[in-house]
Amino acid sequence: MKIILIFLIPVLAFAKLNILTTTTDLKYLVQTIGGDKVDVDSICKGTQDPHYLEAKPSYSLKANKADLMVSIGLDLEIGWLPLIIAGARNPDIINHHLVAGNFVDTIEKPIGPVSRSMGDVHPLGNPHILLDPLNAVKVAEKIKDRLSLMDKDNEAVFSKNFADFKNLITEKMKVWEKHSGKKVITYHSTLSYFYKRFGITNVAILEPKPGIPPSASHILDVMKTAKEQNVQLALVENFFDPSVAERVAKEVPGMKVKPVAVSVGGADNIKTLIDLYDYLLKEIYE
Amino acid sequence: MKIFLLILFICSSAFAQEWVSRGSMFNPDIGVNALFLYQHSNQETEINGFSFEEMELQFTADVDPYLRAQLILAVEREEGGNSYGVEPEEAYAQTINIRNTIFQFGKYYFNFGKHNLLHPHNFPMIDLPLINQRLFGEDQLNMPAVGASYLFSLPWYFEILADYGQGHNDELWQDTERRNQFLNIHLKNLWDLNPDTTLEWGLTGGSAAENVSLWQTDLTLKWRPMVGGKYHALEWQSEFMGRDNEDLWGFYSHLKYQFLERWWLTYRYDYADPEGEEIQRRNGLLVAFAPSEFSAFRLETDYNSTNRDTRVLLQMNLTIGAHPAHRY
């Protein structure tokens, strides 16, 4: 018995926290704060639309083995995460579920009553919160607090990693904030937080309503607005078909269409949130 | 006096606000699904025309820290008439806080393969497969029961599900008055072949009163690419099942292809071989347009080569309120 204990103690002492996130952006934050003290995986990949995912049973199997679930909330994952959690039968992720959206001030919160005639509207606000670097810092701090609570022995490591991340964002913001004043059109309101932070004006959305594909009349309206406001750039999240934006661009002199990644892992060269912010600014301003 | 009234007003309005918000927060999620149908058959002409097929009222909520409950009331047309009846299609509770295990009790669809678990608005084609229809009838294998499922911590998804219940089923048992017993055990396996593709294989054995024993196996391949998966996906599902004591068996196989964001095509081949009767064969083709997750229009045509029946069906499917996600 003593021999078994001798073998078990080192295993327990070095057991890493197993964390499952819903998105790759959250995975990056957990990995950044947790370092080598955590194993982390994401359900949604960077090339997928996080609103619409199939709840594969294999995701429930991953959730079954997790110590902590980290999600965005704000109804982003409402179509698939409840099914994954129910199938996982893991009390740990019911009791340890960190919802990032609870810790940021959301934008585009609908005023007044909402109904499905408004499309896939999010009553609690736009859920693409991590496209604002300062929201990423807020969420990273909550991840640091939660990891410290679950693994007190490594609290100092998590605090240092968070401080490093915060300093990195602070330094990068000095460069990033030099950009401002561009007008764009976008397929879906994924980049609203990014635009707000960096002074970019989104003149029109190609979806007439959230989650509803563009109609012919709406495309004509977008063309008219883009011409009037001399918009030169259309960004299409790379999980959407860019052909509608290309039709608009044909009618708007000088307009370019760029399919863009909007998550970590959305393109091969985007390994971190820093890469993502750098990449988006480069795509918009160069 | 004014101060007293002001304090009273502030306290009462604060209490009222809290009472309202707490009250609505704990309400169940409520959803309603309605199915309208137009059909035309060249053999069974009495069914031709429009009909209001079914409406489901669904209530879902956590009961407490231990249980989640779901109640689905079906309002459907009574057979051969124009009146409608209400019956509990499913009403069950499941444990939510036990590691690897779910215990379940109530009235629900048994885990007898893939199709038996589906509600009509989620059928891949508008009608039941022939073999499901022959084995269990319109109501499927659904009865008051207790059940348990266990998820194994293996490199692939492997789950054992067992249900034991008691009920009536006109197709399954000769004695239709008696409430008969049924024990069902299902093994579910799923592998991620790659990030885009999964393969599921299931196996079921059922044992019931009157020496009825049933078997079932299913194989499902699903493909939805990580890049471009909003616009293209493929599903190929086949299910074989039968009853030993009366030598009844059959299968269906469907191929579903999503070719645009809101459009898909499904082809199904149906086969049922009942002892002493002619073999049933049916081919069906369905095209579906779903303007959103909450509405769908489906046009189907099928041909039953046994009775030479050609049918055309148009179904309108609407959901309002909160509808839980469908199983994978």
Side-chain angles (χ1 to χ4, degrees), chain A residues 29 33 98 103 134-148 158-159 161-163 165-166:
Chain A
L29 284 181
I33 306 304
L98 184 67
F103 308 113
L134 299 192
N135 280 346
V137 173
K138 286 181 189 170
V139 173
E141 185 169 17
K142 296 298 173 185
I143 291 170
K144 180 259 297 175
D145 292 345
R146 184 59 68 92
L147 295 184
S148 302
F158 304 140
S159 294
N161 290 345
F162 169 67
F165 177 69
K166 191 177 174 185

Side-chain angles (χ1 to χ4, degrees), chain B residues 243-259:
Chain B
R243 191 164 65 192
D244 283 347
N245 59 330
E246 287 185 22
D247 199 19
L248 165 64
W249 79 281
F251 71 92
Y252 72 85
S253 186
H254 76 239
L255 192 64
K256 178 177 168 181
Y257 179 59
Q258 181 193 343
F259 57 97

Side-chain angles (χ1 to χ4, degrees), chain A residues 15 71 99 130 140 169 174 199 230 266 272-273:
Chain A
S71 67
V99 181
L130 294 180
I169 292 286
K174 290 173 190 165
N230 191 28
T272 70
L273 274 176

Side-chain angles (χ1 to χ4, degrees), chain B residues 4-273:
Chain B
F4 172 75
L5 284 174
L6 187 66
I7 291 168
L8 189 68
F9 172 74
I10 289 168
C11 290
S12 61
S13 61
F15 173 78
Q17 200 172 19
E18 189 188 351
W19 184 84
V20 169
S21 62
R22 286 184 65 191
S24 59
M25 274 168 70
F26 292 118
N27 280 347
D29 290 338
I30 302 170
V32 179
N33 177 270
L35 293 176
F36 303 91
L37 185 68
Y38 171 81
Q39 57 185 330
H40 182 88
S41 160
N42 66 348
Q43 296 289 333
E44 296 175 57
T45 51
E46 69 279 4
I47 62 169
N48 290 354
F50 289 100
S51 61
F52 174 54
E53 216 184 343
E54 189 193 70
M55 183 173 78
E56 281 181 4
L57 285 104
Q58 183 156 0
F59 303 85
T60 314
D62 290 342
V63 178
D64 55 28
Y66 315 106
L67 293 171
R68 178 183 300 116
Q70 187 161 68
L71 170 64
I72 300 167
L73 296 171
V75 181
E76 55 192 347
R77 199 152 53 105
E78 288 174 347
E79 209 169 318
N82 283 323
S83 57
Y84 290 83
V86 180
E87 66 170 74
E89 195 162 275
E90 291 195 283
Y92 63 87
Q94 284 184 325
T95 57
I96 51 177
N97 219 0
I98 302 175
R99 184 168 288 280
N100 288 44
T101 309
I102 294 174
F103 292 105
Q104 180 167 320
F105 63 91
K107 178 180 182 289
Y108 57 88
Y109 288 110
F110 274 35
N111 287 288
F112 191 85
K114 299 283 286 180
H115 207 289
N116 192 69
L117 292 168
L118 302 178
H119 289 255
H121 69 270
N122 195 26
F123 286 178
M125 303 287 279
I126 294 170
D127 269 347
L128 279 169
L130 290 170
I131 185 60
N132 292 66
Q133 172 87 45
R134 291 300 298 251
L135 274 177
F136 304 120
E138 286 292 333
D139 293 337
Q140 292 295 282
L141 186 56
N142 177 333
M143 58 181 75
V146 291
S149 62
Y150 187 85
L151 175 63
F152 288 81
S153 291
L154 295 173
W156 78 97
Y157 186 95
F158 176 52
E159 185 184 11
I160 293 184
L161 307 102
D163 304 299
Y164 175 73
Q166 223 177 352
H168 300 278
N169 189 297
D170 295 351
E171 304 296 327
L172 207 52
W173 294 299
Q174 289 170 356
D175 184 352
T176 54
E177 296 301 312
R178 204 173 133 201
R179 296 181 69 244
N180 287 306
Q181 296 169 4
F182 195 102
L183 172 67
N184 189 74
I185 294 176
H186 179 72
L187 309 181
K188 177 174 174 166
N189 296 272
L190 183 132
W191 295 269
D192 279 287
L193 302 182
N194 56 48
D196 302 342
T197 318
T198 59
L199 178 69
E200 181 179 343
W201 173 58
L203 187 65
T204 313
S207 176
E210 298 183 5
N211 290 323
V212 171
S213 63
L214 295 105
W215 57 271
Q216 178 276 351
T217 187
D218 57 83
L219 197 64
T220 306
L221 187 77
K222 286 191 180 185
W223 171 80
R224 184 178 290 281
M226 288 283 148
V227 178
K230 279 183 81 70
Y231 302 94
H232 300 286
L234 186 76
E235 174 185 304
W236 179 30
Q237 181 172 302
S238 304
E239 201 170 352
F240 298 76
M241 60 188 78
R243 191 164 65 192
D244 283 347
N245 59 330
E246 287 185 22
D247 199 19
L248 165 64
W249 79 281
F251 71 92
Y252 72 85
S253 186
H254 76 239
L255 192 64
K256 178 177 168 181
Y257 179 59
Q258 181 193 343
F259 57 97
L260 287 169
E261 186 175 2
R262 302 188 288 178
W263 290 85
W264 69 88
L265 266 176
T266 309
Y267 166 75
R268 182 173 72 188
Y269 179 72
D270 260 324
Y271 179 96
D273 183 1

Side-chain angles (χ1 to χ4, degrees), chain A residues 45 47-49 51-52 54-61 64-66 78-80 82-83 85-92 94-95 116 120 187 211-214 238-241, chain B residues 68 96-102 149-157 159 188 190 192 195-196 198 224 226-227 230-231 261-262 291-294 319-322 325-328:
Chain A
K45 303 304 170 206
T47 53
Q48 291 179 296
D49 180 352
H51 297 85
Y52 307 103
E54 290 172 313
K56 293 181 186 175
S58 45
Y59 298 150
S60 286
L61 186 62
N64 172 266
K65 296 169 182 173
I78 197 163
W80 47 275
L83 211 56
I85 291 177
R89 14 186 133 198
N90 176 358
D92 287 347
I94 294 169
N95 302 325
R116 294 239 166 87
D120 281 341
Y187 193 95
I212 305 297
N238 64 358
F239 37 78
F240 290 115
D241 179 1
Chain B
R68 178 183 300 116
I96 51 177
N97 219 0
I98 302 175
R99 184 168 288 280
N100 288 44
T101 309
I102 294 174
S149 62
Y150 187 85
L151 175 63
F152 288 81
S153 291
L154 295 173
W156 78 97
Y157 186 95
E159 185 184 11
K188 177 174 174 166
L190 183 132
D192 279 287
D196 302 342
T198 59
R224 184 178 290 281
M226 288 283 148
V227 178
K230 279 183 81 70
Y231 302 94
E261 186 175 2
R262 302 188 288 178
S292 74
E293 293 166 275
F294 305 99
T319 300
I320 55 174
H326 292 134
R327 287 171 227 246
Y328 181 67

Side-chain angles (χ1 to χ4, degrees), chain B residues 37-43 47-50 126-127 285 298-303 309-315:
Chain B
L37 185 68
Y38 171 81
Q39 57 185 330
H40 182 88
S41 160
N42 66 348
Q43 296 289 333
I47 62 169
N48 290 354
F50 289 100
I126 294 170
D127 269 347
L285 186 67
R298 307 200 296 168
L299 178 66
E300 177 182 326
T301 178
D302 54 45
Y303 176 67
D309 184 23
T310 302
R311 290 205 305 162
V312 177
L313 303 99
L314 175 66
Q315 185 192 59

